[in-house]
mmCIF file with all atom_site columns, all heavy atoms in Angstrom:
data_model
loop_
_atom_site.group_PDB
_atom_site.id
_atom_site.type_symbol
_atom_site.label_atom_id
_atom_site.label_alt_id
_atom_site.label_comp_id
_atom_site.label_asym_id
_atom_site.label_entity_id
_atom_site.label_seq_id
_atom_site.pdbx_PDB_ins_code
_atom_site.Cartn_x
_atom_site.Cartn_y
_atom_site.Cartn_z
_atom_site.occupancy
_atom_site.B_iso_or_equiv
_atom_site.pdbx_formal_charge
_atom_site.auth_seq_id
_atom_site.auth_comp_id
_atom_site.auth_asym_id
_atom_site.auth_atom_id
_atom_site.pdbx_PDB_model_num
ATOM 1   N N   . TYR A 1 79  ? 156.780 93.123 54.431 1.00 0.00 ? 79  TYR A N   1
ATOM 2   C CA  . TYR A 1 79  ? 156.773 92.770 55.850 1.00 0.00 ? 79  TYR A CA  1
ATOM 3   C C   . TYR A 1 79  ? 157.761 93.671 56.581 1.00 0.00 ? 79  TYR A C   1
ATOM 4   O O   . TYR A 1 79  ? 158.614 94.330 55.971 1.00 0.00 ? 79  TYR A O   1
ATOM 5   C CB  . TYR A 1 79  ? 157.175 91.305 56.049 1.00 0.00 ? 79  TYR A CB  1
ATOM 6   C CG  . TYR A 1 79  ? 158.582 91.016 55.585 1.00 0.00 ? 79  TYR A CG  1
ATOM 7   C CD1 . TYR A 1 79  ? 159.684 91.213 56.422 1.00 0.00 ? 79  TYR A CD1 1
ATOM 8   C CD2 . TYR A 1 79  ? 158.819 90.570 54.293 1.00 0.00 ? 79  TYR A CD2 1
ATOM 9   C CE1 . TYR A 1 79  ? 160.970 90.974 55.982 1.00 0.00 ? 79  TYR A CE1 1
ATOM 10  C CE2 . TYR A 1 79  ? 160.102 90.329 53.851 1.00 0.00 ? 79  TYR A CE2 1
ATOM 11  C CZ  . TYR A 1 79  ? 161.172 90.533 54.692 1.00 0.00 ? 79  TYR A CZ  1
ATOM 12  O OH  . TYR A 1 79  ? 162.436 90.309 54.254 1.00 0.00 ? 79  TYR A OH  1
ATOM 13  N N   . GLU A 1 80  ? 157.627 93.693 57.878 1.00 0.00 ? 80  GLU A N   1
ATOM 14  C CA  . GLU A 1 80  ? 158.562 94.441 58.724 1.00 0.00 ? 80  GLU A CA  1
ATOM 15  C C   . GLU A 1 80  ? 158.581 93.786 60.101 1.00 0.00 ? 80  GLU A C   1
ATOM 16  O O   . GLU A 1 80  ? 157.531 93.339 60.586 1.00 0.00 ? 80  GLU A O   1
ATOM 17  C CB  . GLU A 1 80  ? 158.146 95.911 58.838 1.00 0.00 ? 80  GLU A CB  1
ATOM 18  C CG  . GLU A 1 80  ? 159.113 96.760 59.645 1.00 0.00 ? 80  GLU A CG  1
ATOM 19  C CD  . GLU A 1 80  ? 158.686 98.221 59.713 1.00 0.00 ? 80  GLU A CD  1
ATOM 20  O OE1 . GLU A 1 80  ? 157.884 98.656 58.862 1.00 0.00 ? 80  GLU A OE1 1
ATOM 21  O OE2 . GLU A 1 80  ? 159.144 98.925 60.654 1.00 0.00 ? 80  GLU A OE2 1
ATOM 22  N N   . VAL A 1 81  ? 159.757 93.717 60.706 1.00 0.00 ? 81  VAL A N   1
ATOM 23  C CA  . VAL A 1 81  ? 159.872 93.203 62.067 1.00 0.00 ? 81  VAL A CA  1
ATOM 24  C C   . VAL A 1 81  ? 159.589 94.346 63.031 1.00 0.00 ? 81  VAL A C   1
ATOM 25  O O   . VAL A 1 81  ? 160.262 95.372 63.006 1.00 0.00 ? 81  VAL A O   1
ATOM 26  C CB  . VAL A 1 81  ? 161.273 92.618 62.323 1.00 0.00 ? 81  VAL A CB  1
ATOM 27  C CG1 . VAL A 1 81  ? 161.404 92.150 63.766 1.00 0.00 ? 81  VAL A CG1 1
ATOM 28  C CG2 . VAL A 1 81  ? 161.546 91.461 61.370 1.00 0.00 ? 81  VAL A CG2 1
ATOM 29  N N   . PHE A 1 82  ? 158.572 94.183 63.876 1.00 0.00 ? 82  PHE A N   1
ATOM 30  C CA  . PHE A 1 82  ? 158.176 95.216 64.828 1.00 0.00 ? 82  PHE A CA  1
ATOM 31  C C   . PHE A 1 82  ? 158.659 94.831 66.225 1.00 0.00 ? 82  PHE A C   1
ATOM 32  O O   . PHE A 1 82  ? 158.182 93.841 66.795 1.00 0.00 ? 82  PHE A O   1
ATOM 33  C CB  . PHE A 1 82  ? 156.658 95.376 64.835 1.00 0.00 ? 82  PHE A CB  1
ATOM 34  C CG  . PHE A 1 82  ? 156.125 96.097 63.644 1.00 0.00 ? 82  PHE A CG  1
ATOM 35  C CD1 . PHE A 1 82  ? 155.943 95.428 62.439 1.00 0.00 ? 82  PHE A CD1 1
ATOM 36  C CD2 . PHE A 1 82  ? 155.801 97.444 63.706 1.00 0.00 ? 82  PHE A CD2 1
ATOM 37  C CE1 . PHE A 1 82  ? 155.461 96.084 61.328 1.00 0.00 ? 82  PHE A CE1 1
ATOM 38  C CE2 . PHE A 1 82  ? 155.308 98.114 62.603 1.00 0.00 ? 82  PHE A CE2 1
ATOM 39  C CZ  . PHE A 1 82  ? 155.137 97.439 61.405 1.00 0.00 ? 82  PHE A CZ  1
ATOM 40  N N   . PRO A 1 83  ? 159.581 95.596 66.822 1.00 0.00 ? 83  PRO A N   1
ATOM 41  C CA  . PRO A 1 83  ? 160.118 95.261 68.148 1.00 0.00 ? 83  PRO A CA  1
ATOM 42  C C   . PRO A 1 83  ? 159.051 95.134 69.226 1.00 0.00 ? 83  PRO A C   1
ATOM 43  O O   . PRO A 1 83  ? 159.191 94.387 70.169 1.00 0.00 ? 83  PRO A O   1
ATOM 44  C CB  . PRO A 1 83  ? 161.081 96.414 68.438 1.00 0.00 ? 83  PRO A CB  1
ATOM 45  C CG  . PRO A 1 83  ? 161.492 96.901 67.081 1.00 0.00 ? 83  PRO A CG  1
ATOM 46  C CD  . PRO A 1 83  ? 160.282 96.747 66.222 1.00 0.00 ? 83  PRO A CD  1
ATOM 47  N N   . GLY A 1 84  ? 157.943 95.861 69.100 1.00 0.00 ? 84  GLY A N   1
ATOM 48  C CA  . GLY A 1 84  ? 156.933 95.831 70.157 1.00 0.00 ? 84  GLY A CA  1
ATOM 49  C C   . GLY A 1 84  ? 155.895 94.741 70.002 1.00 0.00 ? 84  GLY A C   1
ATOM 50  O O   . GLY A 1 84  ? 155.023 94.587 70.856 1.00 0.00 ? 84  GLY A O   1
ATOM 51  N N   . VAL A 1 85  ? 155.956 93.972 68.931 1.00 0.00 ? 85  VAL A N   1
ATOM 52  C CA  . VAL A 1 85  ? 154.964 92.916 68.697 1.00 0.00 ? 85  VAL A CA  1
ATOM 53  C C   . VAL A 1 85  ? 155.536 91.588 69.179 1.00 0.00 ? 85  VAL A C   1
ATOM 54  O O   . VAL A 1 85  ? 156.534 91.111 68.669 1.00 0.00 ? 85  VAL A O   1
ATOM 55  C CB  . VAL A 1 85  ? 154.607 92.830 67.196 1.00 0.00 ? 85  VAL A CB  1
ATOM 56  C CG1 . VAL A 1 85  ? 153.596 91.712 66.964 1.00 0.00 ? 85  VAL A CG1 1
ATOM 57  C CG2 . VAL A 1 85  ? 154.036 94.151 66.718 1.00 0.00 ? 85  VAL A CG2 1
ATOM 58  N N   . THR A 1 86  ? 154.903 91.010 70.179 1.00 0.00 ? 86  THR A N   1
ATOM 59  C CA  . THR A 1 86  ? 155.369 89.750 70.748 1.00 0.00 ? 86  THR A CA  1
ATOM 60  C C   . THR A 1 86  ? 154.196 88.777 70.864 1.00 0.00 ? 86  THR A C   1
ATOM 61  O O   . THR A 1 86  ? 153.062 89.114 70.514 1.00 0.00 ? 86  THR A O   1
ATOM 62  C CB  . THR A 1 86  ? 156.000 89.963 72.136 1.00 0.00 ? 86  THR A CB  1
ATOM 63  O OG1 . THR A 1 86  ? 155.003 90.516 73.014 1.00 0.00 ? 86  THR A OG1 1
ATOM 64  C CG2 . THR A 1 86  ? 157.186 90.916 72.063 1.00 0.00 ? 86  THR A CG2 1
ATOM 65  N N   . GLN A 1 87  ? 154.464 87.608 71.377 1.00 0.00 ? 87  GLN A N   1
ATOM 66  C CA  . GLN A 1 87  ? 153.409 86.629 71.621 1.00 0.00 ? 87  GLN A CA  1
ATOM 67  C C   . GLN A 1 87  ? 153.842 85.719 72.768 1.00 0.00 ? 87  GLN A C   1
ATOM 68  O O   . GLN A 1 87  ? 155.029 85.652 73.111 1.00 0.00 ? 87  GLN A O   1
ATOM 69  C CB  . GLN A 1 87  ? 153.142 85.785 70.378 1.00 0.00 ? 87  GLN A CB  1
ATOM 70  C CG  . GLN A 1 87  ? 154.273 84.778 70.095 1.00 0.00 ? 87  GLN A CG  1
ATOM 71  C CD  . GLN A 1 87  ? 153.960 83.868 68.938 1.00 0.00 ? 87  GLN A CD  1
ATOM 72  O OE1 . GLN A 1 87  ? 153.903 84.319 67.817 1.00 0.00 ? 87  GLN A OE1 1
ATOM 73  N NE2 . GLN A 1 87  ? 153.758 82.595 69.214 1.00 0.00 ? 87  GLN A NE2 1
ATOM 74  N N   . THR A 1 88  ? 152.869 85.045 73.341 1.00 0.00 ? 88  THR A N   1
ATOM 75  C CA  . THR A 1 88  ? 153.165 84.059 74.372 1.00 0.00 ? 88  THR A CA  1
ATOM 76  C C   . THR A 1 88  ? 153.288 82.701 73.697 1.00 0.00 ? 88  THR A C   1
ATOM 77  O O   . THR A 1 88  ? 152.368 82.256 73.010 1.00 0.00 ? 88  THR A O   1
ATOM 78  C CB  . THR A 1 88  ? 152.043 84.014 75.430 1.00 0.00 ? 88  THR A CB  1
ATOM 79  O OG1 . THR A 1 88  ? 151.897 85.323 75.997 1.00 0.00 ? 88  THR A OG1 1
ATOM 80  C CG2 . THR A 1 88  ? 152.385 83.030 76.535 1.00 0.00 ? 88  THR A CG2 1
ATOM 81  N N   . ALA A 1 89  ? 154.423 82.072 73.864 1.00 0.00 ? 89  ALA A N   1
ATOM 82  C CA  . ALA A 1 89  ? 154.670 80.786 73.206 1.00 0.00 ? 89  ALA A CA  1
ATOM 83  C C   . ALA A 1 89  ? 153.673 79.735 73.674 1.00 0.00 ? 89  ALA A C   1
ATOM 84  O O   . ALA A 1 89  ? 153.192 79.764 74.815 1.00 0.00 ? 89  ALA A O   1
ATOM 85  C CB  . ALA A 1 89  ? 156.092 80.319 73.493 1.00 0.00 ? 89  ALA A CB  1
ATOM 86  N N   . LYS A 1 90  ? 153.370 78.793 72.802 1.00 0.00 ? 90  LYS A N   1
ATOM 87  C CA  . LYS A 1 90  ? 152.408 77.741 73.120 1.00 0.00 ? 90  LYS A CA  1
ATOM 88  C C   . LYS A 1 90  ? 152.835 76.938 74.341 1.00 0.00 ? 90  LYS A C   1
ATOM 89  O O   . LYS A 1 90  ? 152.007 76.496 75.135 1.00 0.00 ? 90  LYS A O   1
ATOM 90  C CB  . LYS A 1 90  ? 152.241 76.806 71.920 1.00 0.00 ? 90  LYS A CB  1
ATOM 91  C CG  . LYS A 1 90  ? 151.545 77.444 70.721 1.00 0.00 ? 90  LYS A CG  1
ATOM 92  C CD  . LYS A 1 90  ? 151.489 76.486 69.556 1.00 0.00 ? 90  LYS A CD  1
ATOM 93  C CE  . LYS A 1 90  ? 150.653 77.030 68.417 1.00 0.00 ? 90  LYS A CE  1
ATOM 94  N NZ  . LYS A 1 90  ? 151.093 78.360 67.962 1.00 0.00 ? 90  LYS A NZ  1
ATOM 95  N N   . GLU A 1 91  ? 154.144 76.736 74.471 1.00 0.00 ? 91  GLU A N   1
ATOM 96  C CA  . GLU A 1 91  ? 154.631 75.954 75.600 1.00 0.00 ? 91  GLU A CA  1
ATOM 97  C C   . GLU A 1 91  ? 154.354 76.642 76.932 1.00 0.00 ? 91  GLU A C   1
ATOM 98  O O   . GLU A 1 91  ? 154.186 75.972 77.957 1.00 0.00 ? 91  GLU A O   1
ATOM 99  C CB  . GLU A 1 91  ? 156.132 75.700 75.436 1.00 0.00 ? 91  GLU A CB  1
ATOM 100 C CG  . GLU A 1 91  ? 156.501 74.729 74.328 1.00 0.00 ? 91  GLU A CG  1
ATOM 101 C CD  . GLU A 1 91  ? 156.435 75.361 72.951 1.00 0.00 ? 91  GLU A CD  1
ATOM 102 O OE1 . GLU A 1 91  ? 156.233 76.601 72.855 1.00 0.00 ? 91  GLU A OE1 1
ATOM 103 O OE2 . GLU A 1 91  ? 156.599 74.640 71.957 1.00 0.00 ? 91  GLU A OE2 1
ATOM 104 N N   . ARG A 1 92  ? 154.301 77.968 76.933 1.00 0.00 ? 92  ARG A N   1
ATOM 105 C CA  . ARG A 1 92  ? 153.986 78.698 78.170 1.00 0.00 ? 92  ARG A CA  1
ATOM 106 C C   . ARG A 1 92  ? 152.488 78.755 78.406 1.00 0.00 ? 92  ARG A C   1
ATOM 107 O O   . ARG A 1 92  ? 152.027 78.738 79.542 1.00 0.00 ? 92  ARG A O   1
ATOM 108 C CB  . ARG A 1 92  ? 154.547 80.114 78.096 1.00 0.00 ? 92  ARG A CB  1
ATOM 109 C CG  . ARG A 1 92  ? 156.070 80.178 78.097 1.00 0.00 ? 92  ARG A CG  1
ATOM 110 C CD  . ARG A 1 92  ? 156.576 81.582 78.286 1.00 0.00 ? 92  ARG A CD  1
ATOM 111 N NE  . ARG A 1 92  ? 156.188 82.109 79.589 1.00 0.00 ? 92  ARG A NE  1
ATOM 112 C CZ  . ARG A 1 92  ? 156.446 83.354 80.000 1.00 0.00 ? 92  ARG A CZ  1
ATOM 113 N NH1 . ARG A 1 92  ? 157.087 84.194 79.190 1.00 0.00 ? 92  ARG A NH1 1
ATOM 114 N NH2 . ARG A 1 92  ? 156.074 83.760 81.191 1.00 0.00 ? 92  ARG A NH2 1
ATOM 115 N N   . LYS A 1 93  ? 151.713 78.816 77.323 1.00 0.00 ? 93  LYS A N   1
ATOM 116 C CA  . LYS A 1 93  ? 150.257 78.905 77.480 1.00 0.00 ? 93  LYS A CA  1
ATOM 117 C C   . LYS A 1 93  ? 149.638 77.572 77.904 1.00 0.00 ? 93  LYS A C   1
ATOM 118 O O   . LYS A 1 93  ? 148.721 77.536 78.724 1.00 0.00 ? 93  LYS A O   1
ATOM 119 C CB  . LYS A 1 93  ? 149.619 79.357 76.165 1.00 0.00 ? 93  LYS A CB  1
ATOM 120 C CG  . LYS A 1 93  ? 149.793 80.827 75.871 1.00 0.00 ? 93  LYS A CG  1
ATOM 121 C CD  . LYS A 1 93  ? 148.914 81.290 74.722 1.00 0.00 ? 93  LYS A CD  1
ATOM 122 C CE  . LYS A 1 93  ? 149.388 80.733 73.395 1.00 0.00 ? 93  LYS A CE  1
ATOM 123 N NZ  . LYS A 1 93  ? 148.616 81.321 72.255 1.00 0.00 ? 93  LYS A NZ  1
ATOM 124 N N   . PHE A 1 94  ? 150.157 76.474 77.341 1.00 0.00 ? 94  PHE A N   1
ATOM 125 C CA  . PHE A 1 94  ? 149.501 75.175 77.528 1.00 0.00 ? 94  PHE A CA  1
ATOM 126 C C   . PHE A 1 94  ? 150.361 74.156 78.267 1.00 0.00 ? 94  PHE A C   1
ATOM 127 O O   . PHE A 1 94  ? 149.919 73.032 78.475 1.00 0.00 ? 94  PHE A O   1
ATOM 128 C CB  . PHE A 1 94  ? 149.104 74.600 76.162 1.00 0.00 ? 94  PHE A CB  1
ATOM 129 C CG  . PHE A 1 94  ? 148.258 75.519 75.338 1.00 0.00 ? 94  PHE A CG  1
ATOM 130 C CD1 . PHE A 1 94  ? 148.778 76.168 74.239 1.00 0.00 ? 94  PHE A CD1 1
ATOM 131 C CD2 . PHE A 1 94  ? 146.929 75.755 75.666 1.00 0.00 ? 94  PHE A CD2 1
ATOM 132 C CE1 . PHE A 1 94  ? 148.012 77.018 73.468 1.00 0.00 ? 94  PHE A CE1 1
ATOM 133 C CE2 . PHE A 1 94  ? 146.147 76.607 74.911 1.00 0.00 ? 94  PHE A CE2 1
ATOM 134 C CZ  . PHE A 1 94  ? 146.688 77.246 73.806 1.00 0.00 ? 94  PHE A CZ  1
ATOM 135 N N   . GLY A 1 95  ? 151.590 74.529 78.624 1.00 0.00 ? 95  GLY A N   1
ATOM 136 C CA  . GLY A 1 95  ? 152.504 73.557 79.191 1.00 0.00 ? 95  GLY A CA  1
ATOM 137 C C   . GLY A 1 95  ? 153.359 72.953 78.088 1.00 0.00 ? 95  GLY A C   1
ATOM 138 O O   . GLY A 1 95  ? 152.997 72.984 76.909 1.00 0.00 ? 95  GLY A O   1
ATOM 139 N N   . VAL A 1 96  ? 154.470 72.379 78.468 1.00 0.00 ? 96  VAL A N   1
ATOM 140 C CA  . VAL A 1 96  ? 155.439 71.909 77.476 1.00 0.00 ? 96  VAL A CA  1
ATOM 141 C C   . VAL A 1 96  ? 154.845 70.830 76.584 1.00 0.00 ? 96  VAL A C   1
ATOM 142 O O   . VAL A 1 96  ? 154.923 70.897 75.351 1.00 0.00 ? 96  VAL A O   1
ATOM 143 C CB  . VAL A 1 96  ? 156.714 71.386 78.176 1.00 0.00 ? 96  VAL A CB  1
ATOM 144 C CG1 . VAL A 1 96  ? 157.655 70.771 77.147 1.00 0.00 ? 96  VAL A CG1 1
ATOM 145 C CG2 . VAL A 1 96  ? 157.413 72.510 78.922 1.00 0.00 ? 96  VAL A CG2 1
ATOM 146 N N   . ARG A 1 97  ? 154.223 69.831 77.193 1.00 0.00 ? 97  ARG A N   1
ATOM 147 C CA  . ARG A 1 97  ? 153.725 68.697 76.394 1.00 0.00 ? 97  ARG A CA  1
ATOM 148 C C   . ARG A 1 97  ? 152.651 69.122 75.405 1.00 0.00 ? 97  ARG A C   1
ATOM 149 O O   . ARG A 1 97  ? 152.744 68.823 74.203 1.00 0.00 ? 97  ARG A O   1
ATOM 150 C CB  . ARG A 1 97  ? 153.191 67.619 77.333 1.00 0.00 ? 97  ARG A CB  1
ATOM 151 C CG  . ARG A 1 97  ? 152.717 66.363 76.609 1.00 0.00 ? 97  ARG A CG  1
ATOM 152 C CD  . ARG A 1 97  ? 152.328 65.292 77.608 1.00 0.00 ? 97  ARG A CD  1
ATOM 153 N NE  . ARG A 1 97  ? 151.853 64.086 76.944 1.00 0.00 ? 97  ARG A NE  1
ATOM 154 C CZ  . ARG A 1 97  ? 151.473 62.996 77.563 1.00 0.00 ? 97  ARG A CZ  1
ATOM 155 N NH1 . ARG A 1 97  ? 151.518 62.935 78.897 1.00 0.00 ? 97  ARG A NH1 1
ATOM 156 N NH2 . ARG A 1 97  ? 151.055 61.941 76.887 1.00 0.00 ? 97  ARG A NH2 1
ATOM 157 N N   . GLU A 1 98  ? 151.632 69.819 75.896 1.00 0.00 ? 98  GLU A N   1
ATOM 158 C CA  . GLU A 1 98  ? 150.544 70.256 75.022 1.00 0.00 ? 98  GLU A CA  1
ATOM 159 C C   . GLU A 1 98  ? 151.028 71.314 74.043 1.00 0.00 ? 98  GLU A C   1
ATOM 160 O O   . GLU A 1 98  ? 150.615 71.349 72.877 1.00 0.00 ? 98  GLU A O   1
ATOM 161 C CB  . GLU A 1 98  ? 149.378 70.795 75.852 1.00 0.00 ? 98  GLU A CB  1
ATOM 162 C CG  . GLU A 1 98  ? 148.198 71.306 75.046 1.00 0.00 ? 98  GLU A CG  1
ATOM 163 C CD  . GLU A 1 98  ? 147.509 70.225 74.227 1.00 0.00 ? 98  GLU A CD  1
ATOM 164 O OE1 . GLU A 1 98  ? 147.750 69.034 74.469 1.00 0.00 ? 98  GLU A OE1 1
ATOM 165 O OE2 . GLU A 1 98  ? 146.718 70.597 73.326 1.00 0.00 ? 98  GLU A OE2 1
ATOM 166 N N   . GLY A 1 99  ? 151.925 72.188 74.506 1.00 0.00 ? 99  GLY A N   1
ATOM 167 C CA  . GLY A 1 99  ? 152.457 73.226 73.628 1.00 0.00 ? 99  GLY A CA  1
ATOM 168 C C   . GLY A 1 99  ? 153.234 72.648 72.466 1.00 0.00 ? 99  GLY A C   1
ATOM 169 O O   . GLY A 1 99  ? 153.085 73.095 71.321 1.00 0.00 ? 99  GLY A O   1
ATOM 170 N N   . VAL A 1 100 ? 154.058 71.641 72.736 1.00 0.00 ? 100 VAL A N   1
ATOM 171 C CA  . VAL A 1 100 ? 154.822 70.994 71.670 1.00 0.00 ? 100 VAL A CA  1
ATOM 172 C C   . VAL A 1 100 ? 153.881 70.296 70.693 1.00 0.00 ? 100 VAL A C   1
ATOM 173 O O   . VAL A 1 100 ? 154.073 70.346 69.474 1.00 0.00 ? 100 VAL A O   1
ATOM 174 C CB  . VAL A 1 100 ? 155.844 70.002 72.263 1.00 0.00 ? 100 VAL A CB  1
ATOM 175 C CG1 . VAL A 1 100 ? 156.448 69.143 71.171 1.00 0.00 ? 100 VAL A CG1 1
ATOM 176 C CG2 . VAL A 1 100 ? 156.934 70.747 73.024 1.00 0.00 ? 100 VAL A CG2 1
ATOM 177 N N   . ARG A 1 101 ? 152.843 69.657 71.234 1.00 0.00 ? 101 ARG A N   1
ATOM 178 C CA  . ARG A 1 101 ? 151.879 68.973 70.368 1.00 0.00 ? 101 ARG A CA  1
ATOM 179 C C   . ARG A 1 101 ? 151.205 69.962 69.426 1.00 0.00 ? 101 ARG A C   1
ATOM 180 O O   . ARG A 1 101 ? 151.072 69.702 68.219 1.00 0.00 ? 101 ARG A O   1
ATOM 181 C CB  . ARG A 1 101 ? 150.827 68.252 71.208 1.00 0.00 ? 101 ARG A CB  1
ATOM 182 C CG  . ARG A 1 101 ? 149.891 67.355 70.398 1.00 0.00 ? 101 ARG A CG  1
ATOM 183 C CD  . ARG A 1 101 ? 148.748 66.833 71.239 1.00 0.00 ? 101 ARG A CD  1
ATOM 184 N NE  . ARG A 1 101 ? 147.798 67.894 71.561 1.00 0.00 ? 101 ARG A NE  1
ATOM 185 C CZ  . ARG A 1 101 ? 146.849 68.314 70.715 1.00 0.00 ? 101 ARG A CZ  1
ATOM 186 N NH1 . ARG A 1 101 ? 146.731 67.780 69.499 1.00 0.00 ? 101 ARG A NH1 1
ATOM 187 N NH2 . ARG A 1 101 ? 146.016 69.274 71.061 1.00 0.00 ? 101 ARG A NH2 1
ATOM 188 N N   . ARG A 1 102 ? 150.797 71.092 69.978 1.00 0.00 ? 102 ARG A N   1
ATOM 189 C CA  . ARG A 1 102 ? 150.135 72.103 69.151 1.00 0.00 ? 102 ARG A CA  1
ATOM 190 C C   . ARG A 1 102 ? 151.105 72.714 68.135 1.00 0.00 ? 102 ARG A C   1
ATOM 191 O O   . ARG A 1 102 ? 150.719 73.036 67.007 1.00 0.00 ? 102 ARG A O   1
ATOM 192 C CB  . ARG A 1 102 ? 149.541 73.200 70.034 1.00 0.00 ? 102 ARG A CB  1
ATOM 193 C CG  . ARG A 1 102 ? 148.326 72.734 70.847 1.00 0.00 ? 102 ARG A CG  1
ATOM 194 C CD  . ARG A 1 102 ? 147.836 73.816 71.782 1.00 0.00 ? 102 ARG A CD  1
ATOM 195 N NE  . ARG A 1 102 ? 146.689 73.391 72.543 1.00 0.00 ? 102 ARG A NE  1
ATOM 196 C CZ  . ARG A 1 102 ? 145.462 73.921 72.443 1.00 0.00 ? 102 ARG A CZ  1
ATOM 197 N NH1 . ARG A 1 102 ? 145.241 74.905 71.588 1.00 0.00 ? 102 ARG A NH1 1
ATOM 198 N NH2 . ARG A 1 102 ? 144.473 73.485 73.186 1.00 0.00 ? 102 ARG A NH2 1
ATOM 199 N N   . ARG A 1 103 ? 152.352 72.894 68.534 1.00 0.00 ? 103 ARG A N   1
ATOM 200 C CA  . ARG A 1 103 ? 153.343 73.455 67.619 1.00 0.00 ? 103 ARG A CA  1
ATOM 201 C C   . ARG A 1 103 ? 153.598 72.493 66.455 1.00 0.00 ? 103 ARG A C   1
ATOM 202 O O   . ARG A 1 103 ? 153.728 72.914 65.308 1.00 0.00 ? 103 ARG A O   1
ATOM 203 C CB  . ARG A 1 103 ? 154.637 73.766 68.357 1.00 0.00 ? 103 ARG A CB  1
ATOM 204 C CG  . ARG A 1 103 ? 155.692 74.481 67.505 1.00 0.00 ? 103 ARG A CG  1
ATOM 205 C CD  . ARG A 1 103 ? 156.877 74.888 68.342 1.00 0.00 ? 103 ARG A CD  1
ATOM 206 N NE  . ARG A 1 103 ? 156.501 75.800 69.405 1.00 0.00 ? 103 ARG A NE  1
ATOM 207 C CZ  . ARG A 1 103 ? 156.285 77.102 69.218 1.00 0.00 ? 103 ARG A CZ  1
ATOM 208 N NH1 . ARG A 1 103 ? 156.403 77.636 68.007 1.00 0.00 ? 103 ARG A NH1 1
ATOM 209 N NH2 . ARG A 1 103 ? 155.945 77.869 70.245 1.00 0.00 ? 103 ARG A NH2 1
#
Side-chain angles (χ1 to χ4, degrees):
Y79 63 86
E80 183 179 340
V81 177
F82 285 81
V85 179
T86 61
Q87 72 175 68
T88 302
K90 291 177 173 55
E91 289 78 7
R92 293 191 64 183
K93 284 192 290 187
F94 305 107
V96 174
R97 183 175 179 179
E98 179 64 15
V100 169
R101 188 189 71 81
R102 289 176 180 245
R103 185 174 300 281

